[in-house]
Amino acid sequence: MEGVFDTATITFSFNSELLKLDNFKPCIYYYNEDTQLLEELPDQTIKDNTVSVNTTHFSKYILLNKYSYDEVWKEDIRKPSENYNNMDIVFVVDISFSMSYNDPEYIRKTVTNGFVNNLRNGDRAALVTFRKNAEIKQELTDNKNDIVNAVNILHNDDGYNDFSGTNGSLGLYTAYKLFDDKVNTDKVIIFLTDGEDTEITYDYNNIISQAADNNICIYTIGLGSSIDENLLKMIASKTHGKYYKSDVATDLITDFDAIFNEYTDYYTDSNNDGISDYFTALMCSGVLVTGTGKKLFQGIPMSEIQKNSDYDNDGIKNGDEVKVIFDSKHKKVYLKVISSPVENDTDKDGVKDNIDQNKLKKDIYECGDPQKLDLKA
Ligand SMILES: [Ca+2]
Ligand SMILES: [Ca+2]
Ligand SMILES: [Ca+2]
Ligand SMILES: [Ca+2]
């Protein structure tokens, strides 16, 4: 396009049959070449089978079904760590009276201690309990014995005193306040409760946004049948954690195992390719995708990827071809592509990736699945 413009109107047309579908909402996105993400343009007008929008910048635009694109980003993915170093973890444990019948055997203690005993050197843990009040039973420490001792002496409320009740918000807030500014440390909370709050001291939305802003990842576990599932799911998804439901106390064993395995995979890079096992698994299952929604390792068994560090054998490690990125503006964890980790000549120009100065020359690679559409201004 020649000349200088202040604004222009872009209009896309689409097959009007699509409007008969339930989950169809046409939406124009701008392809940001720096971040490789698609950005939804504001103030779009849909009329019959066309979508129009005014824009001030000229680049690549694409028309997509908003429902499908949003669907791609539905799953909870932990943010990539700055480095693979240490973790601070706070266990927040419900000791309200109802726990005396929901977890009479104190399986809470066994699973918490199991987790603590398997932490790596340099990791720190803390323990907070809550009922109507919240108590710090152990501040962050790398001394596993101190944590285990604190866990061993916790006991349930008797149901008939000034502190009887459930105030998860206070427990969570107390845990949040325990983190200091130790650098290069991942911050995690495991929040276990068996009931809806009888009292709410702190607004959950505030706690969630503060936790998210400070890169604190919260795993939530709901035990039994009187939990507020929607709340627990929301806390987890907005902080890049995960929600688990334990129907009975023995389910806590599986749930804590799952969280522990995720923790291990998050820090382990078995094939030394610069991508941790946690993210590799998400790439293979098609959950972790590029900014335009392209699935890079999908269909390839994880065992194949893990055999060596350079899947396509072009002399560049997988992790030097794609980077796991967190974009704070759009709150998305995605893959930024330098070159394809599954093709040794990404742009098919006859020059292999390891010596190609312009690996994405044809410039269409990133827009694999949602195909690029021409600007019609
Ligand atoms: Ca790896
Ligand atoms: Ca490679
Ligand atoms: Ca390659
Ligand atoms: Ca090439």
Side-chain angles (χ1 to χ4, degrees), residues 310-314 316-318 321 341:
D310 177 13
Y311 176 78
D312 59 7
N313 202 18
D314 61 1
I316 313 176
K317 284 183 178 185
N318 302 330
E321 301 209 71

Side-chain angles (χ1 to χ4, degrees), residues 95-366:
I95 54 162
S96 61
F97 173 64
S98 50
M99 275 293 188
S100 56
Y101 48 86
N102 278 327
D103 181 20
E105 307 291 327
Y106 282 104
I107 289 172
R108 278 162 292 164
K109 296 185 182 184
T110 318
V111 292
T112 306
N113 284 341
F115 202 116
V116 167
N117 281 325
N118 286 307
L119 289 172
R120 302 157 309 155
N121 285 338
D123 287 344
R124 299 187 300 176
L127 178 69
V128 170
T129 58
F130 69 93
R131 38 189 170 157
K132 186 176 170 183
N133 66 341
E135 289 173 88
I136 300 166
K137 299 292 189 185
Q138 174 62 55
E139 307 256 358
L140 281 169
T141 176
D142 59 4
N143 184 328
K144 293 176 183 176
N145 285 335
D146 287 352
I147 296 285
V148 169
N149 289 337
V151 168
N152 284 339
I153 56 173
L154 69 79
H155 57 90
N156 297 324
D157 183 71
D158 64 14
Y160 301 99
N161 67 76
D162 290 348
F163 299 120
S164 298
T166 302
N167 189 343
S169 75
L170 187 55
L172 208 50
Y173 183 75
T174 306
Y176 164 76
K177 296 293 278 182
L178 280 181
F179 292 105
D180 52 31
D181 46 14
K182 188 179 176 212
V183 290
N184 296 333
T185 303
D186 291 304
K187 300 180 178 71
V188 174
I189 291 174
I190 298 182
F191 179 68
L192 165 63
T193 183
D194 77 341
E196 286 184 48
D197 286 350
T198 54
E199 203 155 314
I200 296 178
T201 310
Y202 292 97
D203 179 22
Y204 276 105
N205 287 317
N206 283 344
I207 304 174
I208 292 167
S209 63
Q210 288 182 59
D213 288 348
N214 288 287
N215 286 337
I216 297 168
C217 164
I218 307 177
Y219 288 87
T220 55
I221 303 169
L223 170 63
S225 53
S226 39
I227 47 172
D228 184 346
E229 256 198 313
N230 288 336
L231 173 69
L232 296 177
K233 278 180 185 166
M234 181 180 75
I235 296 170
S237 77
K238 293 204 168 164
T239 59
H240 299 269
K242 208 172 258 182
Y243 163 68
Y244 293 90
K245 182 172 179 356
S246 289
D247 291 324
V248 290
T250 45
D251 290 349
L252 291 172
I253 299 167
T254 345
D255 291 343
F256 267 69
D257 270 353
I259 298 173
F260 188 80
N261 286 337
E262 198 163 292
Y263 151 85
T264 309
D265 288 352
Y266 186 72
Y267 289 103
T268 310
D269 179 6
S270 300
N271 63 344
N272 243 319
D273 67 350
I275 304 173
S276 80
D277 294 359
Y278 170 72
F279 291 114
T280 304
L282 291 174
M283 287 171 73
C284 290
S285 62
V287 169
L288 176 59
V289 297
T290 70
T292 57
K294 193 176 166 84
K295 298 170 180 180
L296 292 182
F297 283 172
Q298 199 187 29
I300 305 169
M302 181 150 164
S303 55
E304 285 297 310
I305 304 287
Q306 298 292 72
K307 273 183 184 161
N308 57 56
S309 60
D310 177 13
Y311 176 78
D312 59 7
N313 202 18
D314 61 1
I316 313 176
K317 284 183 178 185
N318 302 330
D320 290 330
E321 301 209 71
V322 284
K323 300 276 180 205
V324 183
I325 299 282
F326 174 71
D327 181 83
S328 52
K329 186 176 161 201
H330 299 93
K331 308 239 181 291
K332 285 187 166 93
V333 178
Y334 68 103
L335 296 167
K336 196 164 178 184
V337 181
I338 299 143
S339 51
S340 167
V342 294
E343 293 164 277
N344 59 28
D345 174 14
T346 303
D347 57 7
K348 299 184 179 63
D349 62 355
V351 185
K352 257 177 119 176
D353 284 344
N354 59 336
I355 47 168
D356 195 333
Q357 296 297 309
N358 197 349
K359 305 181 202 329
L360 299 175
K361 189 158 51 189
K362 283 186 184 165
D363 211 9
I364 52 165
Y365 178 78
E366 312 91 318

Side-chain angles (χ1 to χ4, degrees), residues 18-115:
L18 290 169
L19 288 167
K20 292 177 185 163
L21 299 173
D22 281 342
N23 293 326
F24 179 71
K25 186 185 175 196
C27 180
I28 301 173
Y29 295 85
Y30 152 68
Y31 178 64
N32 183 323
E33 304 210 19
D34 291 330
T35 62
Q36 298 186 352
L37 281 170
L38 297 175
E39 298 181 12
E40 186 176 334
L41 293 175
D43 304 322
Q44 305 190 17
T45 315
I46 302 172
K47 187 167 178 282
D48 301 327
N49 67 328
T50 65
V51 196
S52 304
V53 72
N54 288 322
T55 182
T56 53
H57 48 137
F58 299 97
S59 180
K60 299 189 190 87
Y61 295 90
I62 179 170
L63 180 72
L64 295 175
N65 179 2
K66 182 171 162 54
Y67 285 103
S68 311
Y69 188 61
D70 288 349
E71 193 71 10
V72 167
W73 306 101
K74 216 181 52 186
E75 299 270 349
D76 301 329
I77 301 176
R78 273 194 71 180
K79 287 182 200 177
S81 186
E82 300 282 312
N83 303 293
Y84 296 125
N85 30 40
N86 281 113
M87 183 170 79
D88 282 348
I89 181 165
V90 182
F91 295 91
V92 184
V93 180
D94 191 336
I95 54 162
S96 61
F97 173 64
S98 50
M99 275 293 188
S100 56
Y101 48 86
N102 278 327
D103 181 20
E105 307 291 327
Y106 282 104
I107 289 172
R108 278 162 292 164
K109 296 185 182 184
T110 318
V111 292
T112 306
N113 284 341
F115 202 116

